[in-house]
Amino acid sequence: MVRLQTIRRSFVAGIFFVAPLIVTIVALRLLIGWVSGFVNPIVQATALSRYTADIALVAQGITLVALLGLVALLGYLAQRSFGQWLFEWFDRAFGIVPLVSVIYTSVRQMTNALRNRENHYESVVLVEYPRDGVYAVGFVTGESPDSVQTVTGEAFNVFVPTSPNVTGGRLLIVPEADAYDIDISVRRALRLLMTTGMAEEQSDIEQLAAETDVTLPDVDGLGGKDSDDT
């Protein structure tokens, strides 16, 4: 019985060890296959291998770099007035094609939402939540409605995301005096949340404490032993 339990635990431990490797390999194969589906037809149509001593890998690499450069060029144009007009024209053209319009519009809305998510947040603040003495990272999304401020005084709408899933969270109405500004970027705050703080070292925590009026704990000192102990 003891041997059977040992074998079972070893098998489960082996699954937890092998599973990430298998998933990574499968994901890479799918990604390589997806990229090859774009690259190989271009290589064949342009006969690029003829100029790379029939080395297919070199021709594929050159094509991939060219495609990435083209995407960057399109992104550059999209930020200019002419490019914006051109892309709006393409949006209208695809929008009138049956079936294509459904797929294109859905993907377009999704990419716009991902691109603009960071811009929706005005600044990063600390708020005492869910109780006094415990601080949560929040994002100011705007000033609270006038009808709310008649009760709370000057206040902000603050979104406090969950960690590590930052798409969920709570909307808090926080008086201005209780929203502690911290001088960090939205991107860094999102990274802090999505990694449950593991991407931040004690030096970063001390910097946060210096940038705000609140006192943050010494994470290296938690746990009742020195950080050098093993």
Side-chain angles (χ1 to χ4, degrees), residues 69-93:
L70 178 61
V71 172
L73 177 61
L74 291 175
Y76 175 81
L77 293 175
Q79 302 176 59
R80 301 296 183 271
S81 58
F82 173 76
Q84 292 176 357
W85 175 84
L86 185 62
F87 280 100
E88 289 176 359
W89 185 86
F90 273 107
D91 282 342
R92 290 193 295 270

Side-chain angles (χ1 to χ4, degrees), residues 73-123:
L73 177 61
L74 291 175
Y76 175 81
L77 293 175
Q79 302 176 59
R80 301 296 183 271
S81 58
F82 173 76
Q84 292 176 357
W85 175 84
L86 185 62
F87 280 100
E88 289 176 359
W89 185 86
F90 273 107
D91 282 342
R92 290 193 295 270
F94 280 106
I96 62 176
V97 180
L99 184 61
V100 174
S101 63
V102 177
I103 301 174
Y104 178 80
T105 302
S106 300
V107 176
R108 181 73 166 167
Q109 290 175 348
M110 183 176 63
T111 55
N112 286 340
L114 292 174
R115 184 186 64 183
N116 296 329
R117 176 179 294 276
E118 183 174 326
N119 295 334
H120 290 164
Y121 300 139
E122 296 181 357
S123 60

Side-chain angles (χ1 to χ4, degrees), residues 171-191:
L171 174 63
L172 306 180
I173 306 299
V174 182
E176 181 182 15
D178 296 329
Y180 302 94
D181 290 323
I182 51 178
D183 187 18
I184 64 174
S185 65
V186 171
R187 186 180 299 275
R188 179 185 172 192
L190 288 172
R191 184 178 69 247

Side-chain angles (χ1 to χ4, degrees), residues 137-157:
V137 176
F139 300 96
V140 176
T141 58
E143 291 187 359
S144 300
D146 293 337
S147 57
V148 174
Q149 297 195 46
T150 56
V151 178
T152 62
E154 189 169 355
F156 299 110
N157 298 331

